[in-house]
Amino acid sequence: MELDIENINMDKLQVAANMIKAGGLVAFPTETVYGLGASALDDDAVQSIFKAKGRPSDNPLIVHISDMGMLNDIAAEVPEIALRLAEKFWPGPLTLVFKKSAAIPAVITAGLDTVAVRMPSHPVALGLIMLCGVPVAAPSANISGKPSPTSAQHVISDLSGKIDAIINAGSSEVGVESTVLDITVSPPVILRPGGITHAQISGVMGQVEVDPALLNMPNVDIKPKSPGMKYTHYSPKGDVFVIEGELSRVVEKIRELSAYYKAQGMAVGILATDETSSFYVASTDDVISMGSRANPATIAANLFSALREFDAKNAQVILAEAVDSTGIGLAIMNRLNKAAGYNIINA
Ligand code: TXA
Ligand code: MG
């Protein structure tokens, strides 16, 4: 279903809402990534989300709302800090973890006593939830383990034939998923870095911790608190390596590794940045710029589609430049390191 974000056809959107109300699965655009929606109050429909994605049942879903009234039915209690955060960042790319109410089926929360809630800012997402009249459970609309979809085309390539409808309203603006913030603990903890940065959140509420597992391989000592953070994720078919260090050395190392793998007859892709891509042009390398280091939001916006593009090109080895992990960079490096299965090379 094609929708124009500037002029949304509400009759068409109602058709999609009716599908969700009838227990169906509808992929829809949000400002972060495309989501795969079902009625959050329908056990069987939520069950079918897990089936379509091949998602492990111990990984809970985010419940999406279109107004604050819906929150009261979902959260057992809404602390004052939640209202302040919502005031500042909703609608938008922030997910808050609350104590759950009895109305939310256990299948959504994977048996946890907490529930993750977000009010997206994309007008199609907001309109869809409003027309459904119920909260909408929605994970990213990809096959589990693949990069999240930032276009309807990405959803089609992963889920075509497995779901009832896909609403196409163009590319997602933010490009990485929402920040997940657990406010059931004190001080609150960022479980997943995303579209809203640590600095933005601390600006509203003072002390905020960051789950130490965010940039490192989960191990026995550091267990991620957000169940989803422990799985292989964002992985294209090729082997991804992240190269970090001083930028000129990173470029040098990538050129060296590229030559090495190509000598073995492998198809190599390079994930560069606007500032560095010309350094690889002399060779026959397949180079995609993720965006500009001077404007890391552009890198966030392109990251997943770049990874998927290398899949389409059958890249066997993908060499990715690390970027500064401050601000939105923390979300970018969290996704890149996971895509690489923590194969991180220091140049
Ligand atoms: O931007 C987004 O958040 C997108 C769009 C569609 O809204 N959704 C998304 O959903 O990324 P998903 O399912 O791909 O990721 C949800 C993350 C997972 O890491 C999951 O473990 C975590 O949120 N999560 C969900 N419920 C939780 C809970 N009760 N406690 C802690 N983490 C939770
Ligand atoms: Mg996901």
Side-chain angles (χ1 to χ4, degrees):
M1 176 184 291
E2 304 285 335
L3 282 183
D4 177 1
I5 183 169
E6 304 291 343
N7 182 16
I8 298 169
N9 181 328
M10 294 305 265
D11 294 335
K12 273 187 170 179
L13 197 53
Q14 183 71 61
V15 173
N18 291 345
M19 287 176 168
I20 288 183
K21 287 201 274 187
L25 298 185
V26 175
F28 62 96
T30 85
E31 72 280 16
T32 57
V33 300
Y34 273 67
L36 179 59
S39 164
L41 306 181
D42 183 333
D43 227 282
D44 292 341
V46 173
Q47 208 73 258
S48 63
I49 289 182
F50 285 86
K51 190 154 166 258
K53 279 181 59 92
R55 182 179 179 106
S57 60
D58 66 350
N59 191 3
L61 305 179
I62 296 172
V63 177
H64 295 70
I65 59 174
S66 57
D67 63 75
M68 290 301 281
M70 282 183 177
L71 181 59
N72 298 322
D73 305 330
I74 299 169
E77 56 195 66
V78 179
E80 192 264 328
I81 187 63
L83 296 176
R84 265 199 286 152
L85 289 164
E87 172 81 30
K88 182 88 177 165
F89 300 116
W90 280 359
L94 177 68
T95 293
L96 298 175
V97 175
F98 296 90
K99 291 266 175 240
K100 94 184 231 333
S101 84
I104 295 300
V107 54
I108 290 188
T109 62
L112 298 174
D113 61 356
T114 56
V115 61
V117 184
R118 169 165 116 82
M119 189 191 294
S121 65
H122 196 294
V124 170
L126 274 180
L128 178 68
I129 302 162
M130 185 199 63
L131 292 176
C132 287
V134 291
V136 172
S140 50
N142 52 284
I143 293 286
S144 260
K146 288 279 151 205
S148 295
T150 53
S151 73
Q153 203 50 51
H154 296 160
V155 182
I156 291 169
S157 72
D158 276 19
L159 296 175
S160 182
K162 296 181 169 173
I163 62 180
D164 297 291
I166 299 170
I167 302 175
N168 181 4
S171 296
S172 299
E173 201 183 322
V174 179
V176 290
E177 304 87 341
S178 62
T179 303
V180 178
L181 179 69
D182 185 354
I183 53 170
T184 67
V185 292
S186 180
V189 183
I190 294 178
L191 302 179
R192 179 178 71 179
I196 300 289
T197 64
H198 180 255
Q200 283 176 292
I201 296 171
S202 9
V204 174
M205 59 190 298
Q207 200 189 353
V208 184
E209 301 210 323
V210 178
D211 189 338
L214 291 186
L215 285 180
N216 303 307
M217 172 132 55
N219 61 27
V220 283
D221 301 322
I222 312 173
K223 277 211 185 73
K225 292 194 192 67
S226 187
M229 298 310 271
K230 74 172 183 262
Y231 295 106
T232 312
H233 225 308
Y234 313 114
S235 311
K237 285 179 242 148
D239 291 331
V240 181
F241 296 88
V242 171
I243 295 83
E244 63 175 23
E246 197 263 312
L247 192 54
S248 63
R249 284 171 187 260
V250 167
V251 170
E252 208 42 55
K253 189 74 188 172
I254 288 180
R255 287 160 56 137
E256 181 191 314
L257 287 169
S258 170
Y260 170 82
Y261 284 112
K262 278 194 294 196
Q264 298 183 31
M266 298 180 89
V268 177
I270 297 176
L271 267 183
T273 46
D274 292 355
E275 289 80 358
T276 57
S277 33
S278 64
F279 294 123
Y280 307 107
V281 172
S283 60
T284 54
D285 291 326
D286 212 336
V287 183
I288 298 178
S289 173
M290 300 180 280
S292 166
R293 288 172 181 272
N295 184 5
T298 60
I299 297 178
N302 293 326
L303 178 63
F304 291 143
S305 66
L307 287 170
R308 282 178 178 263
E309 215 172 311
F310 279 133
D311 260 2
K313 294 176 166 185
N314 294 313
Q316 291 162 292
V317 172
I318 299 168
L319 304 170
E321 293 178 2
V323 300
D324 185 10
S325 63
T326 55
I328 190 75
L330 184 63
I332 296 168
M333 288 315 301
N334 168 265
R335 308 308 190 269
L336 255 187
N337 288 349
K338 286 172 83 70
Y342 303 94
N343 283 318
I344 303 167
I345 297 167
N346 194 310

